[in-house]
Amino acid sequence: MEEEKRKRLSIGATNKRKGSDAERYYADLFRELGFTHCITARLGSRIHDNAGIDLINIPYNIQIKGGKHKNLSPGKILLNMYS
């Protein structure tokens, strides 16, 4: 039982790291494309981060997914994002 709990925590930590790495990668990419003030919402705005927006200071609301997701529903994600 305890080993199963540790495994789930480890998977969650791995997914968190993958997501954070993907956000930083795309923030760098947008800065290279000329959006010089693009940063991750975790760094810049707790309100945006809580709204499911991952990159800010660009003219779009972007949410990054850093891996393969089973049963991913883009429509549900868009409905969960709010201004």
Side-chain angles (χ1 to χ4, degrees):
M1 181 78 163
E2 187 66 33
E3 184 178 322
E4 183 179 318
K5 185 176 180 181
R6 265 189 268 128
K7 185 176 179 180
R8 278 185 288 180
L9 292 174
S10 176
I11 291 170
T14 299
N15 288 341
K16 171 90 168 84
R17 182 186 46 79
K18 284 181 181 179
S20 295
D21 289 348
E23 290 174 18
R24 287 189 294 272
Y25 171 81
Y26 283 103
D28 288 342
L29 182 64
F30 274 95
R31 284 192 294 271
E32 288 175 13
L33 292 172
F35 297 97
T36 56
H37 299 291
C38 180
I39 58 175
T40 64
R42 286 188 187 149
L43 174 64
S45 171
R46 187 173 181 184
I47 292 170
H48 284 93
D49 191 44
N50 289 342
I53 299 167
D54 292 328
L55 300 180
I56 59 173
N57 299 331
I58 56 176
Y60 315 99
N61 289 335
I62 296 179
Q63 186 177 69
I64 306 294
K65 294 295 179 193
K68 296 180 181 179
H69 297 271
K70 295 179 182 178
N71 303 321
L72 179 67
S73 173
K76 285 183 181 178
I77 290 171
L78 290 171
L79 287 174
N80 287 333
M81 293 175 70
Y82 60 89
S83 297

